[in-house]
Amino acid sequence: MRSNRLTRTVRVLALCAAGLLAASGAALAQTSAPATASTAAVPDAPALYQQHCAACHAPQRTGAMGPALLPESLERVRPAEVLRVIGQGRTATQMPGFAGTLSAPEIQALAQWVRSPVQPAPTWGDDDIRASRVVTPAPADEPAKPVWSADPMNLFLVVEGGDHHVSLLDGDKFEVITRFASRYALHGGPKFTPDGRYVFFGSRDGWITKYDLWRLRVVAEVRAGLNMRNVAVSGDGRWVMAANYLPRNAVLFDADLNLVRNYPATSLDGKQASRVSAVYDATPRRSFVVALKDVPELWEISYDPAAEPIHDGYVHDYRMGESIAKPGFQGVRRTPLEEPLDDFFFDQTYTYVLGATRPRQSAQAEGATAQVVNLNIRRKVADLPIAGMPHLGSGITFAWNGTTVLASPNLQGGAIDVVDMKSWKPVRTIATPGPGFFMRSHENTPFAWTDSMMSPTGKDTLTIIDKRTLEVVAKVREPGKTLAHIEFTKDGRYALASVWEMDGAVVVFDAQTFKEVKRLPMSKPVGKYNVWNKITRSEGTSH
């Protein structure tokens, strides 16, 4: 019963949360004309919020049944979108329309106010985290096996952003096994345990959801923060870490989502706080690597009980114990940088971190917008001469002409940048129809696929590149739509793409012939994630 209640709760949260972020401005036009400037009272937005919104979105706008209404949460939502939703609500959710209740000036005031900072700033501490945790343990006598028949290593999770659901897809039959409601605005990609049984989702509102793929149910949830970037799961499956914008911290949990440690994201001297832009697992190193948005440091937090002690600052010889050491296990090993990293990518050895630096602040290494950091020696070793805004978090690596290269999409330029990972020099710039966000490949295919979804004119095109020649060999299109985010099956035989629309689809392509094989209707399928490719750290997929 508790599992059913929790599932219903998650569904209600997702439905209500979706509400404040869509619908049409037509309803506003139907409201009565505002009074003249001489007679109109200035709408009291805070009072209107407490009267009409606080019950679902919490008095401090931190979110409850509905999503958080904070500047950090709404930064990617257009102001007109907020106006439309307040006016009309959203069909099939608990978000009502207020065009018949509030005047146009009142709706305008509310829309502006929810995008302003909350005063005093909301907090979310250890007690809040612990109090938010909900767990539904499995019955002691329940068989530990899937309730479905499919290859557990060739499953896909499809995140459907249109109505905040997730579909579990059989990667052999290309059939949906189940579809379930998610928290509002999942972000950063789901992360799997090493056996592929459990998956962890992170939402923009700070919720971490642990879902049992075998038994098809939520088993635990906790709210790690108020605005979260992503989560990472350790290679041994024992630890989960969250990266937060608000509050400014990284938070460590065990696999059952019990709070273990809270890491305030501050500089070594404690004088400067930072948003945490990303955290990823570095399985071969048995550590999490954390990028700070506002402080020029890269953190490595080891989950190896035998990790070496940490020495901050400089010493002549670590073996001589010339500085006071901190424990290496779950301690913060800092790498000082010239500039903060926004997002990053590992090489296949997990020795190097390749990170974007945007916006760029120094004048050194003119033209560089990315840097290479050696985690072993804890310093930057090179600049990457990539113009524009490289999206290194979606880069891939592969062998080419006796070396290993990185290929990265670019959020500003209509090109793929290819860099030699030995010399850190560019080897090729491959033109595409426009700026793209995602690039994917697989060890068993000679081709890499990339989108141009940031381009108004090229967003309907996927470009296919031969990794042997670095030449474009084909394009596939979905005219008038947005075609994006490729992921491959476990064996690399098929490539799955998203038609990124509310009435969208997952399209299955033959990875050799580039012909469409099957199409599954989906509600804005923003991402697809193959269990095997993720847990084996395929060179063709992201972290």
Side-chain angles (χ1 to χ4, degrees), residues 25-241:
L28 299 184
Q30 297 174 7
T31 60
S32 58
T36 63
S38 61
T39 61
V42 177
D44 186 345
L48 289 170
Y49 177 86
Q50 294 302 324
Q51 179 181 355
H52 299 287
C53 313
C56 285
H57 300 281
Q60 275 202 301
R61 298 170 19 212
T62 53
M65 289 182 65
L69 301 179
L70 305 169
E72 296 87 350
S73 304
L74 299 174
E75 62 181 356
R76 295 193 178 189
V77 183
R78 296 177 180 177
E81 193 100 339
V82 178
L83 274 173
R84 289 195 294 268
V85 175
I86 298 175
Q88 279 198 334
R90 188 168 183 179
T91 304
T93 78
Q94 294 190 19
M95 174 65 194
F98 289 93
T101 306
L102 303 176
S103 68
E106 288 174 326
I107 292 176
Q108 178 70 45
L110 262 179
Q112 292 178 347
W113 189 70
V114 297
R115 301 181 74 90
S116 65
V118 173
Q119 299 295 338
T123 60
W124 194 257
D126 291 359
D127 290 343
D128 299 301
I129 294 173
R130 293 189 180 99
S132 72
R133 180 175 177 267
V134 179
V135 62
T136 306
D141 59 348
E142 182 178 74
K145 61 180 182 180
V147 297
W148 34 260
S149 177
D151 180 354
M153 293 291 104
N154 197 28
L155 301 176
F156 287 83
L157 284 175
V158 184
V159 175
E160 298 183 62
D163 59 359
H164 308 287
H165 277 69
V166 176
S167 285
L168 179 64
L169 182 65
D170 182 333
D172 293 308
K173 298 179 179 178
F174 302 120
E175 296 176 352
V176 174
I177 296 172
T178 190
R179 188 175 189 264
F180 55 93
S182 74
R183 288 282 179 175
Y184 169 73
L186 299 184
H187 186 256
K191 302 299 189 298
F192 302 95
T193 52
D195 60 0
R197 175 171 181 175
Y198 297 101
V199 61
F200 294 84
F201 301 97
S203 78
R204 286 283 193 183
D205 276 359
W207 285 96
I208 304 175
T209 302
K210 180 180 181 181
Y211 187 87
D212 187 342
L213 291 174
W214 290 7
R215 308 302 296 176
L216 303 181
R217 64 185 174 210
V218 173
V219 295
E221 282 197 306
V222 70
R223 194 175 191 183
L226 301 177
N227 186 258
M228 188 167 67
R229 293 295 295 170
N230 73 324
V231 297
V233 176
S234 64
D236 58 11
R238 297 182 58 195
W239 312 101
V240 180
M241 180 164 277

Side-chain angles (χ1 to χ4, degrees), residues 366-447:
E366 184 177 354
T369 56
Q371 55 186 304
V372 183
V373 179
N374 186 309
L375 290 173
N376 292 337
I377 63 176
R378 294 166 62 188
R379 68 180 179 89
K380 186 185 82 170
V381 295
D383 284 301
L384 290 178
I386 302 176
M389 192 178 290
H391 191 224
L392 293 170
S394 286
I396 62 171
T397 60
F398 52 90
W400 177 78
N401 279 9
T403 188
T404 300
V405 295
L406 160 74
S408 172
N410 201 299
L411 304 181
Q412 286 185 346
I416 296 297
D417 300 294
V418 184
V419 177
D420 187 326
M421 297 188 71
K422 293 180 180 177
S423 66
W424 307 117
K425 302 294 184 183
V427 298
R428 188 75 56 89
T429 298
I430 305 170
T432 62
F437 204 88
F438 299 105
M439 187 173 192
R440 295 289 185 268
S441 188
H442 191 279
E443 300 91 305
N444 295 337
T445 177
F447 305 111

